[in-house]
Amino acid sequence: MADMMNANRLSQPLLALKNIDKSFGGIHALSGVSFDLKDGEIHALVGENGAGKSTLIKIITGAYTPDKGIIAINGTELNSLNPEQSRRLGVGVVYQEFNILPELTVAENIFLEAPPMQRFGLIDMKARSNMAKQLLDRLGTCIDPNELVKNLTVGEQQIVEITKALATNARILILDEPSAVLPSRDLDRLFSVIKTLKSEGCGIIYISHRLNEIFELADRVTVLKDGQTVVTKDVSETNNTDLVRLMVGRPLTDMYPPADNKPGEVILEVNNLNIEGTVFDVNFQVREGEVVGLAGLGGCGRTTVCRTLVGLGKLVSGKIKYMGKPALRSPSQAAKAGMVLIPEDRKTHGLVLNQSMRFNMALPNLSQIGRWGVLQHTVEKQIVDKAISDIQIRPSNPEITAENLSGGNQQKIVVGKWLLTNPKLVIFDEPTRGIDVGAKAEIYMRIRELTHRGIGVIMASSELPELIGMADRILVFHEGRIAGEISRENFSEEEIMHLATATNEESSPCN
Ligand SMILES: Nc1ncnc2c1ncn2[C@@H]1O[C@H](COP(=O)(O)OP(=O)(O)OP(=O)(O)O)[C@@H](O)[C@H]1O
Ligand SMILES: [Mg+2]
């Protein structure tokens, strides 16, 4: 009898969602979605931007209440949960946006909600630090619990987020696009942390737009499309092409448009650029109608170079010449002269979250829209509607507030609004971060259209396939210097990685 009960418990999933429905006003974000998770399983959740992945997660964490359906955690069936219940039932989450506080220490962040207490209501700081250390050790990392979070790398901050989620003894860990913000060097560490948790019996829900990660990590994969489950499969029974077809609804044969750029005159010249101890002696040129790729590991200087080109940050020495003239002093001056930067950190630098999509897209285009100082609404509407349909922003209603869009659709607004201006040189820093596979192909097409119009493009990216697919030349950065330049006929991931990691790279996991 006891054996039978045990068998029952073993076969029972950690988590089961049955027929979940959720609407926001007129938008049906989830309809009739079922999903389950077993212990020791990594279950990937994939789908286009706006498919409903984050909404499903928020139902499991109690952030949203479902309109219909049942949530069963460890066999306890509920119609809805609040965040506290969800935590108590063993759910831990790392959301798409980081939630840790940079000015606090690692240990303070990990035990923010339930710090260990001494008598008299005081926080037991020693115990807190020890407990944090134990958790970090368990995950095989050597992060100092007393370090301020702002001094950590993005990769380490990510591990702190996971540790925080585990501090309440989570058995179900949810990771919503954990790799989107990570430099490639930190991916291995993230994956080994996830594998450790799996071996300890945790169930993990893993969301990513990078399908190769799913094949490396996951046991099963569920595809969502337009708020519905398309299929749940064993990862061993599917492949990249199959998953893309299930997500997008059609096969996607050519991710990258043909490489047929015809570079013209030099429009940007960078000579002996040195920046505040982070960038050393950088020299390069960009021509009309070409894509110059910038590769390298996280922190290698790419982003600093991109920002400096539009007048952000301090230039210590060297010369930047744009269209034969001296460097531009601010992003707005640069934009007026036709050089725009689409920044890496779009949440803080690219979007006004509480304003409408229309407002956000029209912002940089006011000079086109507002002739004689009057905002011409029909022109504005045309411009914005075109951008929305060009890069498939969904839902397509321009009056929707930016913060109510899915993560990937927010990114598309920022990319889309600049494509609407009439630039001469566009600098993309991580152009497709968090963007789904179908919309990526759209963005690549738009970039190729820019080069056909004679516009120069700089593309800093940590996704090597994207650089190889789009660039005419790739400059590989290593610790603030250009370690080498590779031309299209010699492109290979091996060669880029070789240049990017040259010299005595880390061997200890604690570096
Ligand atoms: N609070 C909200 N108010 C209104 N609509 C919302 C809200 N949250 C989500 N939505 C809508 O629900 C749908 C699903 O969004 P969700 O964030 O779950 O997508 P996602 O699959 O996580 O996409 P992405 O890959 O871009 O992160 C979208 O149409 C989105 O605009
Ligand atoms: Mg999401």
Side-chain angles (χ1 to χ4, degrees):
M1 185 68 186
D3 271 2
M4 227 168 95
M5 275 173 67
N6 253 342
N8 260 340
R9 191 164 315 137
L10 283 178
S11 61
Q12 174 183 293
L14 272 180
L15 166 79
L17 301 173
K18 291 171 204 156
N19 285 317
I20 301 288
D21 262 38
K22 178 71 186 171
S23 293
F24 299 100
I27 297 161
H28 216 154
L30 296 172
S31 35
V33 171
S34 296
F35 178 89
D36 71 278
L37 178 71
K38 301 173 195 158
D39 43 13
E41 176 184 49
I42 302 176
H43 193 151
L45 192 55
V46 300
E48 293 178 297
N49 297 131
K53 303 178 295 293
S54 296
T55 305
L56 192 68
I57 294 318
K58 287 178 184 162
I59 284 184
I60 304 170
T61 62
Y64 290 160
T65 309
D67 302 333
K68 257 206 291 205
I70 290 173
I71 309 161
I73 300 183
N74 280 320
T76 309
E77 293 204 348
L78 300 154
N79 292 323
S80 72
L81 280 166
N82 62 41
E84 175 51 31
Q85 272 175 318
S86 172
R87 249 196 312 276
R88 256 192 290 116
L89 288 167
V91 176
V93 63
V94 178
Y95 283 116
Q96 210 161 354
E97 290 88 34
F98 277 15
N99 285 312
I100 43 176
L101 304 169
E103 299 295 337
L104 298 186
T105 67
V106 170
E108 283 166 345
N109 266 289
I110 294 176
F111 292 102
L112 196 62
E113 292 182 21
M117 303 303 272
Q118 285 176 333
R119 277 192 295 166
F120 315 118
L122 293 176
I123 292 177
D124 187 341
M125 296 201 287
K126 189 142 197 291
R128 180 172 62 192
S129 170
N130 287 340
M131 284 159 69
K133 175 131 187 25
Q134 264 175 21
L135 278 171
L136 290 161
D137 284 351
R138 176 180 142 205
L139 298 180
T141 72
C142 323
I143 299 169
D144 177 359
N146 300 315
E147 185 63 80
L148 291 180
V149 159
K150 68 175 178 195
N151 295 335
L152 302 181
T153 65
V154 183
E156 289 167 337
Q157 292 184 10
Q158 176 82 267
I159 305 291
V160 174
E161 282 272 9
I162 296 178
T163 315
K164 185 180 168 194
L166 294 173
T168 48
N169 288 323
R171 284 290 312 281
I172 297 170
L173 180 68
I174 305 172
L175 300 165
D176 195 349
E177 286 193 56
S179 58
V181 289
L182 277 193
S184 50
R185 161 169 33 195
D186 292 323
L187 262 190
D188 290 345
R189 181 148 45 171
L190 173 70
F191 284 8
S192 78
V193 164
I194 292 175
K195 285 174 187 163
T196 304
L197 291 170
K198 172 184 157 82
S199 70
E200 290 175 1
C202 285
I204 293 142
I205 304 178
Y206 189 87
I207 299 181
S208 177
H209 287 292
R210 300 188 187 163
L211 299 184
N212 56 339
E213 294 176 353
I214 281 139
F215 292 100
E216 182 170 345
L217 272 181
D219 302 296
R220 283 192 298 163
V221 54
T222 289
V223 182
L224 286 185
K225 184 164 175 56
D226 301 329
Q228 296 181 318
T229 320
V230 178
V231 72
T232 297
K233 279 188 168 184
D234 282 343
V235 166
S236 60
E237 282 166 12
T238 178
N239 56 42
N240 205 307
T241 318
D242 183 43
L243 272 191
V244 169
R245 185 182 50 80
L246 291 165
M247 279 167 59
V248 182
R250 64 190 153 85
L252 204 64
T253 41
D254 296 318
M255 262 314 262
Y256 304 102
D260 54 359
N261 287 340
K262 296 194 179 61
E265 299 294 316
V266 172
I267 44 174
L268 181 77
E269 251 189 285
V270 175
N271 288 315
N272 305 318
L273 183 66
N274 284 282
I275 306 165
E276 282 189 310
T278 51
V279 169
F280 311 96
D281 202 26
V282 162
N283 292 282
F284 68 97
Q285 296 183 333
V286 180
R287 294 174 176 277
E288 293 169 335
E290 74 169 341
V291 178
V292 176
L294 308 186
L297 304 175
C300 66
R302 279 177 318 194
T303 293
T304 315
V305 169
C306 293
R307 288 167 52 84
T308 306
L309 295 179
V310 297
L312 289 165
K314 225 196 282 157
L315 183 155
V316 173
S317 68
K319 277 213 176 76
I320 299 172
K321 257 191 189 171
Y322 168 66
M323 312 269 291
K325 299 207 183 91
L328 295 151
R329 285 197 305 268
S330 71
S332 61
Q333 204 186 53
K336 267 194 210 118
M339 169 158 55
V340 298
L341 167 67
I342 301 178
E344 164 185 52
D345 184 0
R346 287 179 277 263
K347 283 279 156 54
T348 38
H349 298 122
L351 264 188
V352 189
L353 277 172
N354 61 0
Q355 288 284 357
S356 71
M357 189 147 109
R358 178 178 52 73
F359 175 91
N360 272 287
M361 296 231 250
L363 212 51
N365 295 299
L366 288 179
S367 60
Q368 280 182 63
I369 297 164
R371 216 188 289 167
W372 303 300
V374 181
L375 213 62
Q376 296 185 336
H377 287 287
T378 40
V379 182
E380 180 185 90
K381 187 169 175 348
Q382 276 170 6
I383 289 182
V384 171
D385 284 351
K386 179 168 173 356
I388 291 172
S389 79
D390 272 2
I391 54 169
Q392 305 173 3
I393 300 177
R394 287 195 211 110
S396 59
N397 175 0
E399 300 310 323
I400 287 182
T401 312
E403 66 193 340
N404 286 340
L405 289 171
S406 76
N409 280 297
Q410 291 179 0
Q411 317 251 27
K412 288 191 221 167
I413 295 186
V414 184
V415 176
K417 72 176 183 184
W418 289 113
L419 293 182
L420 292 176
T421 60
N422 273 320
K424 297 192 175 69
L425 176 65
V426 183
I427 306 161
F428 290 98
D429 196 359
E430 301 290 354
T432 62
R433 182 172 276 175
I435 287 182
D436 72 48
V437 55
K440 266 187 190 171
E442 276 315 307
I443 287 180
Y444 298 143
M445 236 151 67
R446 300 298 149 230
I447 293 179
R448 191 62 90 225
E449 276 171 26
L450 294 180
T451 51
H452 285 175
R453 275 161 53 199
I455 294 159
V457 172
I458 296 177
M459 186 163 152
S461 171
S462 39
E463 291 205 31
L464 298 185
E466 147 176 308
L467 286 175
I468 290 174
M470 290 302 296
D472 296 290
R473 305 181 276 131
I474 296 175
L475 311 176
V476 187
F477 280 73
H478 174 71
E479 294 181 352
R481 296 173 197 276
I482 296 183
E485 173 172 340
I486 314 174
S487 53
R488 169 158 275 283
E489 57 279 12
N490 298 321
F491 282 173
S492 77
E493 294 204 11
E494 291 72 30
E495 181 59 15
I496 299 173
M497 282 320 282
H498 174 70
L499 288 169
T501 55
T503 71
N504 46 357
E505 268 299 302
E506 87 230 81
S507 50
S508 142
C510 298
N511 281 339

